Structure formats: C-alpha cells, structure tokens
Amino acid sequence: NPFHIMRLVNTIRDLQPDIIHCHFESLIRFLHYTPGKKVLTVHGISRQYDKILSKYDMVFGITHDVCTDLARRGLNAMPVLVYNGIDHTLIKTKTRYDKPEFRIVCVGRLNHQTKGQDLLLMAIHEIIYAHSIKNINVHFLGDGPSLCHLLNLAHQLDIAPYCKFIGFKPRNWVFHNLCNYELLVQPSRREAFGLSIAEAMMAKVPVLVSNIPGATEVINRGNLGYKFEAEDSHDCARAIIDIMKAYSNKEIKSMTEAAYNYAVSHFAISDISKQYLNQYRLLLTK
C-alpha cells in the first residue's frame, strides 16, 4: 500500500534523524529522499539483494560467517560484526542439575526443512528404542508449517508420549522457563545466528547444535557447548547420550558456567547497543 510508504517517508522527514537503521534490505528503495545516513543489519545469507546492499552507508552482519559472505558482495566498505543482543537480566538461570527426568527443549519456528526438528525426533527414537533410555522427553516451542508433519512423524516413530508440542510462547515465558530443561537442542539445517542458543547459555542450560557455522559460532566454535554432524540423527542421538553421561558425572556445571560468562560478555544487549552507537558516531564523522 503506497499510503504506508508515504507515511513512513513523511515521518522520517519530520524526525530528521542522523541515522536510519534498517533490518530488511529492500527498505533502501523508499529512503532515497530522506535525511540521515542509512545503515543495515543483515541477519542471514542471501543473494537476493546484492545490488541494493551497496546503497547503504554501513552494513552490519550478525556473525563472522554473515560478514564473510557480505564482504564478497560489492559493498562500499567492509561489513561490521555486531552480534544480536539479549537482556540477560530477564533470564532465569538453572540451579538444579540432578532431576531424574531428562527434559530437552527445542525453540524455534516449526519448519523442519530449515530448523531440522525431524532430526531431533529421529534421534529421540534411537535413544529410546536402541539404547533403552526412557527417562527422556522433548518439548518443542514454536509454531509453523511443519506442525502436522512433525506430529505425524512422532506417531510413526512411536515416540508421541515422549514429545510435547507446546506452541508459541512469548519471550518472557521462554526467559522464565528455559532453566527448567536439562538441554536445548538446535538441530538446524540453516541458521545465521541462533538466538535461542545464546538465551539457553544465559540460562545456564547446556546446548547441543548442528555443526553449521552460525550455530557453532555462538558456542565459541564448539568450546562452550556440544555439537553433532548436521543432517545426522545418529550423531545427534550419540551426543545427547554423552551429555546425559556428563550430567551423571557432574561435569556439566562447569561447562554451563563458562558458557554463561561467555554469552553475557558477547551478547548482552547493553554492550551490543554501545557497539552500535560507537559505529554510528564513526559514520557521522566521515
């Protein structure tokens, strides 16, 4: 609707901003005649808007992998790395590591083609029936187009009693309840950053991710969490069993403590906002 575009442009002209910070590449098409420097945060890897990116005065990437990709795409200047920010003060931290039931959580849009929830279901099936481990269940937080597919798969694998699809929950619910789980699994096939991974680290919950660049970067290249071979449900099952053993050996607490400290020092929203402000000032002095 052109009315909304005109309204946006008029609002920006009234505000006379120094900086206009966009989070969607094509917005620059509507900002040619507005005041202020235009900057963009790129949240994933896509070739769709290559020609548009060079029209921004500064471009940010949320991971090294995104920045490396951006650097190949004809920008006016090198992209700047600024991670996603999280208010860790709102996240309740885990205090008990001795619960008899091993509860797994998977947070994200239910789209198995990108998020890989089907791999986790197959791993749970293997753990239960090949390794006879029954004190386990998994909760899926989120909604999306794969809900029916995943429900059917859980029934086909005969693991429906061990799976619960909770649906979408607001951020404050997630922040308050992450600490009740023993493990967060992010089995993504594609992931630019993985916000829920960093949130789990801030909740002092161990994390298991597929070994794709965006997810492993959040856990410091695998040093502060666990990883499995992407697309390999057998390796996912193996990793979950190893983590369960780490709980029984009481090795897990030092890992989660180190992961918490790393996440707070790298992803705290107070620091991320300062990084953006510093880059704005640099841009305005050019």
Side-chain angles (χ1 to χ4, degrees):
N1 188 334
F3 170 77
H4 298 302
I5 298 169
M6 292 170 59
R7 185 178 178 187
L8 170 66
V9 170
N10 288 333
T11 300
I12 291 172
R13 287 174 176 166
D14 290 341
L15 289 171
Q16 290 290 308
D18 296 309
I19 301 283
I20 301 173
H21 194 144
C22 303
H23 290 267
F24 186 64
E25 293 93 331
S26 66
L27 282 173
I28 194 69
R29 293 170 174 164
F30 312 117
L31 302 177
H32 291 301
Y33 304 107
T34 56
K37 300 281 188 179
K38 283 77 175 177
V39 304
L40 170 73
T41 290
V42 176
H43 294 268
I45 295 174
S46 170
R47 303 266 184 256
Q48 189 175 358
Y49 298 111
D50 275 6
K51 294 179 180 178
I52 291 176
L53 293 175
S54 61
K55 297 180 180 180
Y56 284 94
D57 297 294
M58 182 177 283
V59 176
F60 300 95
I62 59 169
T63 63
H64 283 98
D65 195 45
V66 171
C67 287
T68 300
D69 178 72
L70 287 169
R72 304 189 191 108
R73 294 162 65 180
L75 298 177
N76 294 330
M78 288 296 292
V80 179
L81 172 65
V82 178
Y83 288 121
N84 283 327
I86 304 163
D87 188 350
H88 68 283
T89 63
L90 301 178
I91 299 177
K92 188 177 178 182
T93 56
K94 187 173 183 64
T95 56
R96 284 192 60 189
Y97 294 84
D98 58 351
K99 294 179 182 177
E101 188 173 43
F102 197 83
R103 299 179 67 199
I104 297 171
V105 64
C106 183
V107 182
R109 181 167 169 76
L110 298 183
N111 184 342
H112 70 283
Q113 294 176 331
T114 57
K115 297 295 185 180
Q117 291 98 344
D118 55 323
L119 297 168
L120 178 54
L121 289 174
M122 289 186 282
I124 296 298
H125 168 82
E126 182 173 332
I127 291 167
I128 292 169
Y129 292 105
H131 298 275
S132 300
I133 297 173
K134 308 289 186 181
N135 62 328
I136 190 170
N137 63 57
V138 58
H139 289 182
F140 292 91
L141 302 187
D143 52 22
S146 292
L147 176 60
C148 289
H149 173 83
L150 295 170
L151 283 169
N152 289 336
L153 181 59
H155 283 285
Q156 290 168 17
L157 295 171
D158 199 21
I159 58 170
Y162 300 91
C163 305
K164 189 172 183 179
F165 292 85
I166 295 179
F168 172 79
K169 292 293 183 181
R171 217 88 205 127
N172 61 343
W173 189 97
V174 176
F175 286 174
H176 190 76
N177 286 277
L178 268 178
C179 62
N180 295 324
Y181 294 94
E182 277 56 66
L183 176 66
L184 176 131
V185 179
Q186 200 77 3
S188 303
R189 292 179 164 96
R190 295 195 297 275
E191 193 76 66
F193 181 82
L195 202 61
S196 61
I197 302 169
E199 291 167 353
M201 293 165 73
M202 289 177 170
K204 298 187 179 182
V205 173
V207 296
L208 170 64
V209 304
S210 54
N211 64 346
I212 56 176
T216 53
E217 184 170 336
V218 179
I219 59 171
N220 191 21
R221 300 300 177 189
N223 295 316
L224 296 170
Y226 301 88
K227 56 186 178 179
F228 69 95
E229 192 68 33
E231 297 283 357
D232 190 339
S233 62
H234 299 294
D235 199 43
C236 182
R238 185 271 315 158
I240 292 172
I241 292 170
D242 286 348
I243 295 165
M244 295 178 80
K245 291 176 181 176
Y247 263 90
S248 63
N249 295 332
K250 299 184 179 179
E251 298 171 1
I252 209 79
K253 200 166 183 181
S254 59
M255 164 76 83
T256 56
E257 204 63 47
Y260 171 84
N261 292 332
Y262 179 86
V264 169
S265 65
H266 284 74
F267 312 128
I269 199 166
S270 55
D271 292 331
I272 297 301
S273 61
K274 289 175 185 175
Q275 291 178 41
Y276 273 126
L277 288 169
N278 289 337
Q279 292 299 326
Y280 295 160
R281 294 186 185 102
L282 287 173
L283 181 60
L284 291 172
T285 59
K286 291 181 180 178

